[in-house]
Amino acid sequence: MSNTSDNDVFGTLHYRDPALLDRPGSAANKTYEFVEEKHIDDGKAVESMEEQPKLQRKLKGRQMGMIAIGGTIGTGLFIGSGSTLADAGPAGALIAFAAMGSMVFFVCTSLGEMSTFIPTSDPFNHFAARFLDPALGFAFGWNYWYSWMLTVGSELVACGIIVQYWLPNLSGAIWSVISLLVMFAFNAVSVRGYGEAEFWMAALKVAAVLVFVVVGILTVTGATGGEFIGGKNWHVDGAPFKDHIVGILKACIVAAFSMQGTEIVGITVGECANPRREVPRVIRSVFWRILFFYIASILIIGLVIPNSNPNLVSASGAGDVAISPFTLVFKAAGADWAAHVMNAVVLVTVLSAGNSGLYACTRVLWVLANEGKAPRVLRRITRHGVPLWALVFTSLCSTVIFCISLAGNQSVYVFLINLSGLTGMGFWLGISLCHWRFRRAYIAQGYSLDDLPYVASFFPFGPVYACTLLAIIIIGQGYGTIWPTFDAVSFVSTYLAIPVFLVFWLTWKFTKRTKWIKLMDIDLTSGTLLEMERNGDIEVFAQEESGWRKYTKWLHRKSD
């Protein structure tokens, strides 16, 4: 704990125009629906946030960092990334991942600025309701929940398929149930249990990528005993660019979906022990994680494997690990055991995705229940700070999705899974729009950027750039259903998430008669990190000086 005075620790909010505070219409004098909204249930109002049970801030910095890394590395990289090489060629794939990586970076910086200023366990619902329209917050919250709930169900199916690679005579359903129990246990113990599990699973994924890059470099240079490859695969079969702009667009769509899940770090802010220090650290490292894990991996794949390799297109699911691009590179280096190792890595990756999805669903549902947007029973948490009923409800719903997959007719299962297809893009778009409004309101109400715990770089370019690319991806996702022939069923399935979102939004908007929030009416005072630190809700840690500042002070002392 710091021994400095309150003003030194907390700082002071500086206004460019102090008179704004005295204006009748200023944000400081208003009551907001998303904060003070009363949900009547059998004549009883929902208690104030001070009287409600709270989550426990026990996530440490190392866990936050690994959770962010774990959200970056998924099956999209290990298995599905090869299709970008087949669609766009090695150079086109690199451009696609660089473009999508930069977009994700700006989304994360936008989320980081808002989350450090207002730490919450459901940024998608809370920020949309606070900066845009309460009805949009309701829609984003429930869409995020069902999207990850469906994803958890699909990961259970994938777990069974992966284990059957080793034990083909045993039913995959057995291993799916075991996987669910493992995920549930990690989340039911405490947030520290979830964080520790994610830490070690993310560490294994990082190790796999590191080994892959090193082996790939050795293979390209011929150090593993094979021929010198160099850049010859960049000059065969239409490389380095394939299908030009169309190929790059198709690769961008795959790359964007591969990076979904990076936003989960924003949810962990609600249980971070020191959000003022840890969140900016994690957000700043996003760029380097994307640069290394994705760009380096795609570069190695493009150098080792020609873009005409049919396995690049064939590998698309958990059952195709034997022909995934990572496995093919290891085999090119002479590692015949590569398929077994990568199968183990993909199993851990799927468990990590399901574990994180269960965590995200639980926290989002708990916040929705606290705000009167979900049944009140889901508000209950254990003495260890776990929203138990929200966890049980989500697990049961994911189990239902898994059971549907066991039915003979897979059309219903595929239909449900497709619901989550565009929702990830929609959340990123929502984050960028919220940040645009937040920053405009922050300046309009006279606050100084110097008071923000973390300031996103390149505003307003960042959110505008992200929104533009996301709009292109959302529209272009259905390209294959329209050209060369129109497939009505696939078209509806692809864009089904959009009307579902509209139903949530318009239902809440007309039943609650919500309105678009004006810039001067946006609340920038309640629930902030500064307020929580002053009230003792978050422990205040002494500010650490950067290495450069420590070095300059050391030089001054020497000169004296």
Side-chain angles (χ1 to χ4, degrees):
M1 294 287 291
S2 173
N3 295 322
T4 55
S5 66
D6 285 350
N7 287 336
D8 292 333
V9 172
F10 298 118
T12 305
L13 284 177
H14 302 290
Y15 290 86
R16 294 176 180 172
D17 184 3
L20 287 172
L21 291 175
D22 300 325
R23 290 174 53 174
S26 68
N29 299 321
K30 284 191 175 290
T31 300
Y32 297 91
E33 180 179 359
F34 76 93
V35 175
E36 300 294 338
E37 179 183 1
K38 301 299 181 180
H39 173 66
I40 305 301
D41 185 8
D42 296 330
K44 297 180 180 179
V46 172
E47 297 89 351
S48 65
M49 288 302 294
E50 289 76 8
E51 298 172 353
Q52 294 173 2
K54 296 181 180 180
L55 304 175
Q56 296 181 4
R57 294 187 173 274
K58 292 187 176 181
L59 281 178
K60 304 302 181 183
R62 65 179 181 85
Q63 295 171 330
M64 290 275 292
M66 278 299 185
I67 288 171
I69 292 174
T72 306
I73 308 172
T75 54
L77 174 62
F78 289 128
I79 297 179
S81 57
S83 63
T84 62
L85 184 63
D87 289 333
L94 275 177
I95 292 175
F97 271 93
M100 293 302 99
S102 61
M103 179 267 292
V104 170
F105 168 74
F106 285 121
V107 170
C108 288
T109 56
S110 294
L111 182 60
E113 179 173 302
M114 295 184 292
S115 294
T116 48
F117 185 74
I118 306 172
T120 174
S121 289
D122 183 7
F124 317 105
N125 159 41
H126 188 84
F127 293 151
R130 190 162 184 154
F131 305 138
L132 302 175
D133 178 359
L136 283 174
F138 175 81
F140 274 118
W142 273 107
N143 274 261
Y144 194 82
W145 175 82
Y146 86 69
S147 172
W148 271 107
M149 181 273 295
L150 292 171
T151 300
V152 172
S154 67
E155 301 296 1
L156 294 178
V157 176
C159 285
I161 295 173
I162 293 170
V163 178
Q164 278 190 311
Y165 180 84
W166 293 308
L167 303 170
N169 296 325
L170 288 178
S171 172
I174 298 175
W175 305 109
S176 297
V177 172
I178 293 175
S179 300
L180 176 62
L181 294 176
V182 171
M183 298 174 194
F184 185 90
F186 283 148
N187 281 273
V189 174
S190 66
V191 67
R192 185 176 295 172
Y194 159 76
E196 202 63 26
E198 277 301 298
F199 177 85
W200 291 108
M201 286 191 283
L204 178 62
K205 292 189 285 186
V206 169
V209 176
L210 288 173
V211 172
F212 171 79
V213 171
V214 172
V215 171
I217 293 173
L218 295 176
T219 304
V220 171
T221 58
T224 57
E227 64 173 336
F228 177 81
I229 299 175
K232 71 176 186 179
N233 286 328
W234 279 52
H235 304 284
V236 297
D237 302 315
F241 293 98
K242 192 174 180 179
D243 290 341
H244 305 291
I245 188 65
V246 175
I248 293 176
L249 177 60
K250 291 165 67 176
C252 282
I253 294 173
V254 176
F257 277 89
S258 298
M259 296 180 183
Q260 287 193 23
T262 54
E263 77 287 341
I264 286 182
V265 69
I267 296 178
T268 62
V269 175
E271 293 171 275
C272 176
N274 187 4
R276 183 180 290 275
R277 181 184 65 190
E278 302 302 344
V279 176
R281 281 182 177 180
V282 171
I283 297 300
R284 290 189 189 105
S285 67
V286 167
F287 173 78
W288 302 109
R289 293 199 311 268
I290 292 174
L291 180 66
F292 180 79
F293 293 122
Y294 278 95
I295 305 302
S297 297
I298 295 300
L299 177 61
I300 294 296
I301 294 172
L303 289 172
V304 177
I305 307 172
N307 63 79
S308 58
N309 191 314
N311 290 327
L312 294 175
V313 179
S314 302
S316 58
D320 300 322
V321 67
I323 55 175
S324 75
F326 274 60
T327 303
L328 295 177
V329 170
F330 279 123
K331 285 185 175 181
D336 295 331
W337 40 261
H340 293 283
V341 174
M342 286 309 304
N343 200 56
V345 171
V346 171
L347 176 60
V348 172
T349 301
V350 169
L351 284 172
S352 175
N355 190 42
S356 294
L358 206 54
Y359 169 83
C361 284
T362 300
R363 270 54 184 182
V364 168
L365 198 57
W366 179 77
V367 173
L368 287 170
N370 276 322
E371 296 183 357
K373 298 173 182 176
R376 291 186 60 195
V377 67
L378 300 175
R379 298 170 59 248
R380 181 178 177 180
I381 65 174
T382 67
R383 61 189 179 90
H384 297 294
V386 177
L388 183 61
W389 290 116
L391 176 61
V392 171
F393 179 73
T394 301
S395 300
L396 289 175
C397 291
S398 295
T399 302
V400 170
I401 299 301
F402 164 69
C403 291
I404 292 175
S405 73
L406 298 178
N409 187 356
Q410 293 289 299
S411 58
V412 175
Y413 172 71
V414 173
F415 178 81
L416 290 172
I417 294 302
N418 283 339
L419 275 176
S420 63
L422 288 177
T423 49
M425 305 296 107
F427 302 138
W428 290 349
L429 183 63
I431 290 170
S432 299
L433 290 174
C434 287
H435 183 222
W436 173 267
R437 292 274 295 172
F438 164 73
R439 181 70 78 86
R440 289 188 63 201
Y442 194 83
I443 297 300
Q445 294 184 25
Y447 291 99
S448 170
L449 294 180
D450 295 334
D451 296 316
L452 289 174
Y454 171 74
V455 179
S457 305
F458 305 107
F459 183 91
F461 172 78
V464 172
Y465 172 75
C467 286
T468 302
L469 282 185
L470 286 166
I472 293 173
I473 295 301
I474 292 173
I475 296 172
Q477 174 62 18
Y479 170 80
T481 66
I482 301 174
W483 189 89
T485 57
F486 180 70
D487 186 339
V489 175
S490 298
F491 179 84
V492 172
S493 179
T494 299
Y495 291 107
L496 186 61
I498 296 178
V500 170
F501 179 87
L502 293 176
V503 168
F504 276 103
W505 172 41
L506 295 176
T507 298
W508 193 260
K509 186 168 188 65
F510 288 120
T511 56
K512 298 296 181 178
R513 297 182 179 180
T514 64
K515 295 181 180 179
W516 187 263
I517 303 174
K518 298 179 181 179
L519 290 180
M520 296 305 297
D521 291 340
I522 290 176
D523 178 17
L524 297 175
T525 58
S526 63
T528 63
L529 176 62
L530 187 64
E531 182 184 62
M532 292 179 183
E533 289 175 336
R534 284 175 170 167
N535 294 339
D537 295 329
I538 294 180
E539 185 178 1
V540 181
F541 295 83
Q543 292 292 319
E544 291 187 357
E545 295 180 335
S546 65
W548 176 252
R549 182 170 295 181
K550 289 180 181 178
Y551 176 69
T552 55
K553 283 189 174 182
W554 178 80
L555 286 179
H556 284 302
R557 285 199 300 269
K558 290 294 182 180
S559 62
D560 294 340

